[in-house]
Amino acid sequence: MKTVLITGCSSGYGLATARHFHAQGWNVLATMRVPCAQTLPESPRLRVLPLDVTQPDSIAAVLQASGSIDVLVNNAGIGLFGAFEATPMATVREVFETNTFGMLAMTQAVLPQFRVRGAGRIINVTSSATLAPMPLVAAYTASKAAVEGFTASLAHELAAFNVDVKLVQPGYGPTTRFTANSGARLQGLIPPAYAAFAQQVFAQFTQTTLLTREIDVAEAVWRAAHDTSGQLRFPAGADALMLAQV
């Protein structure tokens, strides 16, 4: 019976992924900043653990509590919509701290046990924003594009140790808490000069028929966890699959 550790499980893609792996018989370590087990099934194969990927002490504590794991899913992330001109650099750094540096820190922390064991898999969840340019998400896209480049390089670096690294690229998921979780960071990021353009962009989002469901991402992570073909990127959701073919 294998064990997966998933970051960012309080809602959305992380929550769906935790449920999916548990339903398939795996041991699941579902982590989130503020532990809440109410949305997950009660089971001896599922533990909810506190984790803030931006805090080294928190990462060390969760790995000590987790013991041996087989797969790490770096899913924790925060969103950001807005004109880059109006985005404070402190906000940009906050996004990178979670989306990029938090993922790097988690990966670095699990590598010793994977390397010594000669087995393990890391799955990094990015975004379809890396597949095609999208307006008003420049800083967010940069944080995810960095993960894409890092993952592709690390896959080569770890192949000699039989450690696999994969990417899952979700599309636009309106049923997730992506915008809500962005919170106060979004305030003031659409100044008057950008208002008309932003309205056009938001209208396009509401009119799109190609969307990503939480289960689409969970299933893509599952495929990435079991892939033996050497495939690196796994688009998730109808819109991401379409963009990956362009």
Side-chain angles (χ1 to χ4, degrees):
M1 188 181 300
K2 291 189 175 182
T3 298
V4 59
L5 189 155
I6 308 167
T7 68
C9 290
S10 61
S11 64
Y13 301 146
L15 176 59
T17 301
R19 288 172 172 168
H20 189 66
F21 273 75
H22 178 264
Q24 301 301 320
W26 279 46
N27 291 320
V28 175
L29 302 168
T31 72
M32 56 193 76
R33 288 185 178 182
V34 180
C36 177
Q38 295 178 353
T39 55
L40 288 162
E42 292 187 11
S43 168
R45 291 189 290 104
L46 193 149
R47 295 170 61 197
V48 177
L49 299 172
L51 172 64
D52 182 341
V53 298
T54 69
Q55 300 299 319
D57 290 346
S58 182
I59 292 174
V62 81
L63 289 180
Q64 183 175 10
S66 299
S68 178
I69 66 173
D70 299 285
V71 175
L72 167 67
V73 179
N74 282 313
N75 167 77
I78 55 178
L80 188 67
F81 286 104
F84 180 70
E85 178 185 343
T87 306
M89 286 307 300
T91 301
V92 175
R93 291 188 176 93
E94 182 183 0
V95 171
F96 268 78
E97 280 296 334
T98 296
N99 294 0
T100 310
F101 296 121
M103 180 279 309
L104 293 173
M106 280 299 299
T107 298
Q108 191 173 67
V110 303
L111 283 183
Q113 65 166 286
F114 284 1
R115 175 181 50 77
V116 170
R117 192 190 316 150
R121 185 159 295 200
I122 299 161
I123 302 171
N124 295 328
V125 179
T126 57
S127 168
S128 62
T130 64
L131 297 171
M134 299 180 188
L136 301 180
V137 289
Y140 171 79
T141 300
S143 73
K144 293 295 190 178
V147 175
E148 294 260 338
F150 165 79
T151 304
S153 177
L154 190 67
H156 291 292
E157 184 174 325
L158 299 180
F161 302 103
N162 198 37
V163 176
D164 297 313
V165 191
K166 305 290 184 181
L167 281 163
V168 169
Q169 302 160 311
Y172 170 54
T175 59
T176 70
R177 291 180 51 83
F178 180 85
T179 301
N181 289 341
S182 300
R185 285 184 298 274
L186 302 184
Q187 295 181 9
L189 299 191
I190 305 293
Y194 287 86
F197 175 67
Q199 288 179 357
Q200 296 175 3
V201 173
F202 294 147
Q204 292 175 356
F205 275 120
T206 60
Q207 294 169 5
T208 183
T209 57
L210 295 178
L211 303 171
T212 295
R213 304 168 301 164
E214 288 90 335
I215 189 60
D216 295 331
V217 178
E219 291 175 347
V221 173
W222 178 260
R223 291 194 299 274
H226 292 83
D227 177 69
T228 58
S229 70
Q231 180 178 340
L232 175 65
R233 294 176 172 86
F234 293 79
D239 50 340
L241 288 167
M242 182 272 293
L243 290 173
Q245 296 172 359
V246 174

